[in-house]
Amino acid sequence: MAKKAAHISWFCSNCGNESSKWEGRCPSCGEWNTLVEERVVTRAGSGGGKGTLRLSSGDIGTPMRVSDIVASTEERIKMPSSELNRVLGGGLVAGSMVLVGGEPGIGKSTLVLQNVLSIRRCQVLYVSGEESAAQIKMRADRIGRPSENCYIVTETSLDNIMAHIESLNPGLVIVDSIQTIAADDLESSAGSVSQVRECASRLLAYAKRSGVPVILIGHITKEGSIAGPKVLEHIVDAVLRFEGDTHYMYRILRAVKNRFGSTSELGIYEMCQRGLREVTNPSEMLMNQGADELSGVAVGVTVEGLRPFLIETQALVSTAAYGTPQRSVTGFDSKRMNMLLAVLEKRVGFKLAQKDVFLNIAGGLRVNDPALDLSVICAILSSNVDMVVPRSTCMTGEVGLSGEIRPVTRIEQRITEAEKLGLETIIIPKNNLRGIDTSRLKINVVEVAKVEEAFRALFA
Ligand code: TYD
Ligand code: MG
């Protein structure tokens, strides 16, 4: 029988560093108050222990010249959902490990299950540590027609999972979730820093050795980062974040990190009765079609990844009921809104200091594109003076501190998207066109250099 050696160790929940005693500050990453106590029992002679990465299967590799390495063309498994493929950068790369994180109940399990159910080209092993096989079956029946190739097992022991993998020899492995599985030779509980680190690194070693992609589902903490050590995010090839407000039906899938593609892409889904539906034309969902013309609403053109879409910005400005005016923002950076309010106050002369300002981006989406500045400022102003921005007009442009409108990226795509959706006028920054021919366009392009000019164009 293998001998057991038990000791207490302290693990940094930020970097996963192991210390023999408690310290206020992690000696490795310098973070304060991150060390947590864990009882570690390792069986002598077992492969586990320190959670070090072992990418090769034991034999020592020899260094090679880059030019001598024969790389086969990057093999990718296409996922059934094209939105997911886009975020992954064109599909799952062989031997890669992808971590999907998100708040509880957002739809991580649904997203992954729905995709693997219809994979037909290889066998898929879906390991669930949270739900029983019968529960997953009920969900699977609701969201799709399961393929012959999808196998489900409820298991929380890493060693058993490895045994299942060995006997089934799948082409894709899903672990839902990494925080529920535990290696038998570590005695700390599932979800602890040392367990998450160890399980993830063993699965990674398996992925790299066999070329089989592994998808991990991960919980996130109250602060919004993925639970477990930060090293988890470092060792995986891609980290995808599934986000959205549980009260809205729209869900956004973002790549936070991707070794095989761009991190600026996003996928948009809608949670329906029968699982997630891909939203292929986001503009349609983000614009309140056919609604009455109301003040405080301006349509902005934003680009997320390579995709332009139109989005409604809504603002409400009213006289402050209390001494300190309220500023409330959803879906947009609140500091940025305060900056825009200061620009309005200083450069355009609008007195907003005694007003409550509420700002909302339609659809529960969070937008980081600075090109939305102009529509935010126009929506605020429209609500303040109670004048309607024509619904057939949209705008795009970054606003600078002196009230100047600065050029934005991908202007041609933005204009084309607005034209495609039948809008009549688009307001864009001056000198942004740089030789793009607008004579063939059906949409009227208005160039402005300052916020005042934009207001004049809107409310003349
Ligand atoms: P789930 O995938 O279990 O979330 P996670 O794994 O991220 O915790 O999804 C949970 C929510 O999704 C649940 O509250 C109900 C909703 N849902 C639907 O609205 N329609 C569906 O078809 C499914 C499967 C789930
Ligand atoms: Mg789940």
Side-chain angles (χ1 to χ4, degrees), residues 171-189:
L172 172 62
V173 177
I174 320 291
V175 177
D176 182 5
S177 63
I178 183 74
Q179 281 85 6
T180 56
I181 63 169
D184 296 346
D185 48 6
L186 294 185
E187 215 167 69
S188 48
S189 58

Side-chain angles (χ1 to χ4, degrees), residues 239-253:
V239 180
L240 310 186
R241 180 101 105 237
F242 205 37
E243 52 190 44
D245 206 314
T246 21
H247 302 298
Y248 286 100
M249 53 234 184
Y250 299 120
R251 301 281 182 273
I252 316 285
L253 185 68

Side-chain angles (χ1 to χ4, degrees), residues 105 107-110 126 130-131 139 176 217 219:
K108 304 177 292 294
S109 308
T110 311
Y126 187 103
E130 299 187 347
E131 291 163 274
R139 186 198 298 240
D176 182 5
I217 293 179
H219 296 170

Side-chain angles (χ1 to χ4, degrees), residues 185-207:
D185 48 6
L186 294 185
E187 215 167 69
S188 48
S189 58
S192 64
V193 174
S194 51
Q195 282 289 7
V196 170
R197 192 178 63 170
E198 179 66 22
C199 294
S201 53
R202 280 197 217 168
L203 286 164
L204 180 74
Y206 158 74

Side-chain angles (χ1 to χ4, degrees), residues 105-126:
I106 203 81
K108 304 177 292 294
S109 308
T110 311
L111 172 74
V112 177
L113 186 65
Q114 190 170 348
N115 269 282
V116 300
L117 280 180
S118 43
I119 289 183
R120 299 219 149 46
R121 56 172 273 188
C122 63
Q123 292 193 331
V124 181
L125 179 64
Y126 187 103

Side-chain angles (χ1 to χ4, degrees), residues 103 105-110 139 142-143 271-275:
E103 296 203 359
I106 203 81
K108 304 177 292 294
S109 308
T110 311
R139 186 198 298 240
R142 198 139 60 92
I143 59 183
M271 184 59 94
C272 305
Q273 276 294 310
R274 309 193 132 259

